[in-house]
Amino acid sequence: MKKICYIVAMEAEARPFIEAYNIRLVPDFFAPLPCQLYEAEVNGSWLYVVLNGRQHEMDLVGCEPACVATQVAIQRLHPDLVVSSGTCGGFKMKGANIADVYIGNGAIFHDRRVSGDDEWNVQGLGNYPVWEGSAELADKLGLKMGKVTTGSSLDMQPIDRDIILEHGGELKDMEGAAVGFVCQLYGVPVLYVKAVTDLCDGGESTYEEFSRNLKAASETLRQVNEQIISELLR
Ligand code: SAH
């Protein structure tokens, strides 16, 4: 029996997908942690969705909640595959459009800088591997691929931009590499599925663009995730 575990930061990103599969909440499964487990049986396999959870009436976005959620999900659920699914910023100059869905072909951190320390900088960058079936899946579903680049902020400072471009980053988010870090420690493969809510080089306020497009991007994310589930859990 296969087990696939989605790790998702925002309820709005997961809600259309949860509803499509009628995935049920398992209350307090991870208590006292804020993470929330949803589960469903699909074609004799387990489909899990773990949300980072909420604090101060807000979804917990960012690397720390993503690490906690991934860690506890792997330890308690033993998934065969983790899927880091959510929204991201894209780059117009690299051909991204709002609501495009990408499959990740690598994951780095872009805002961890310790100047003068080359070894730490290698560790800081991360460069985590993705599930080996990612390219074949992207090809089959006709999806673009791009490198996930993760930091702790929604905005993009000039130094972030330089590091992102220097290392070929394309999909700017706040959780991907953190999920990849934990998956690498456990040797669990990770697939990235990312929908574009905003264009980092589009000249608009990121927060406004993100807020305006969150619903549409979460909807294309649902469509692609349904295709992925029917490929992976036949
Ligand atoms: N206060 C906001 C927080 C959203 S943070 C709210 O609750 O509505 C943005 C989320 O979307 C993060 O989980 C991040 O992974 C993703 N994201 C979308 N566009 C991004 C961008 N341009 N840069 C970084 N993260 C982005």
Side-chain angles (χ1 to χ4, degrees), residues 9-10 13 58 61 87-89 153-154 172-175 197-198 200 206-207 210:
M10 297 183 64
E13 294 165 334
M58 297 279 301
V61 299
T87 58
C88 66
S153 303
L154 183 62
K172 179 175 175 289
D173 81 345
M174 296 175 64
E175 295 87 13
T197 42
D198 53 279
C200 301
T206 302
Y207 182 68
F210 164 80

Side-chain angles (χ1 to χ4, degrees), residues 199-209 212-213:
L199 297 170
C200 301
D201 56 348
E204 246 202 86
S205 142
T206 302
Y207 182 68
E208 277 165 30
E209 200 177 15
R212 196 175 63 241
N213 295 318

Side-chain angles (χ1 to χ4, degrees), residues 151-190:
S152 295
S153 303
L154 183 62
D155 72 3
M156 183 172 70
Q157 295 299 314
I159 182 80
D160 299 325
R161 181 182 186 276
D162 290 349
I163 294 174
I164 290 169
L165 296 181
E166 182 188 340
H167 295 282
E170 285 184 64
L171 312 169
K172 179 175 175 289
D173 81 345
M174 296 175 64
E175 295 87 13
V179 174
F181 167 63
V182 178
C183 287
Q184 183 216 34
L185 295 178
Y186 281 99
V188 176
V190 56

Side-chain angles (χ1 to χ4, degrees), residues 5-234:
C5 182
Y6 277 71
I7 307 281
V8 184
M10 297 183 64
E11 160 126 33
E13 294 165 334
R15 182 54 53 199
F17 182 56
I18 285 172
E19 282 169 5
Y21 281 93
N22 201 10
I23 311 180
R24 29 180 206 281
L25 174 67
V26 184
D28 299 326
F29 183 80
F30 295 117
L33 299 177
C35 323
Q36 289 196 307
L37 172 66
Y38 289 80
E39 64 173 22
E41 233 182 295
V42 177
N43 298 334
S45 295
W46 281 109
L47 173 60
Y48 301 117
V49 178
V50 174
L51 297 183
N52 288 353
R54 290 167 72 83
Q55 229 177 13
H56 313 303
E57 293 171 27
M58 297 279 301
D59 292 323
L60 281 161
V61 299
C63 296
E64 294 83 355
C67 281
V68 170
T70 309
Q71 146 77 20
V72 78
I74 291 177
Q75 278 213 323
R76 298 274 311 269
L77 305 170
H78 307 286
D80 302 297
L81 178 71
V82 163
V83 185
S84 169
S85 171
T87 58
C88 66
F91 287 83
K92 216 168 55 173
M93 69 169 113
K94 300 200 177 194
N97 299 300
I98 299 298
D100 278 357
V101 181
Y102 284 75
I103 298 293
N105 57 13
I108 58 167
F109 285 106
H110 64 251
D111 67 352
R112 306 206 299 180
R113 301 178 298 278
V114 179
S115 51
D117 188 334
D118 288 345
E119 267 117 50
W120 200 91
N121 281 327
V122 169
Q123 188 193 117
L125 196 64
N127 244 333
Y128 304 112
V130 299
W131 173 51
E132 60 184 14
S134 298
E136 195 183 323
L137 184 70
D139 194 42
K140 210 170 213 173
L141 301 182
L143 298 170
K144 297 188 270 194
M145 294 192 88
K147 191 183 274 187
V148 177
T149 171
T150 301
S152 295
S153 303
L154 183 62
D155 72 3
M156 183 172 70
Q157 295 299 314
I159 182 80
D160 299 325
R161 181 182 186 276
D162 290 349
I163 294 174
I164 290 169
L165 296 181
E166 182 188 340
H167 295 282
E170 285 184 64
L171 312 169
K172 179 175 175 289
D173 81 345
M174 296 175 64
E175 295 87 13
V179 174
F181 167 63
V182 178
C183 287
Q184 183 216 34
L185 295 178
Y186 281 99
V188 176
V190 56
L191 168 70
Y192 291 96
V193 188
K194 296 280 163 183
V196 175
T197 42
D198 53 279
L199 297 170
C200 301
D201 56 348
E204 246 202 86
S205 142
T206 302
Y207 182 68
E208 277 165 30
E209 200 177 15
F210 164 80
S211 304
R212 196 175 63 241
N213 295 318
L214 178 60
K215 200 162 178 226
S218 301
E219 186 51 29
T220 53
L221 197 59
R222 173 193 65 78
Q223 287 166 11
V224 168
N225 277 323
E226 282 195 48
Q227 292 172 349
I228 289 174
I229 291 304
S230 50
E231 279 299 322
L232 299 184
L233 299 182
R234 286 170 183 278

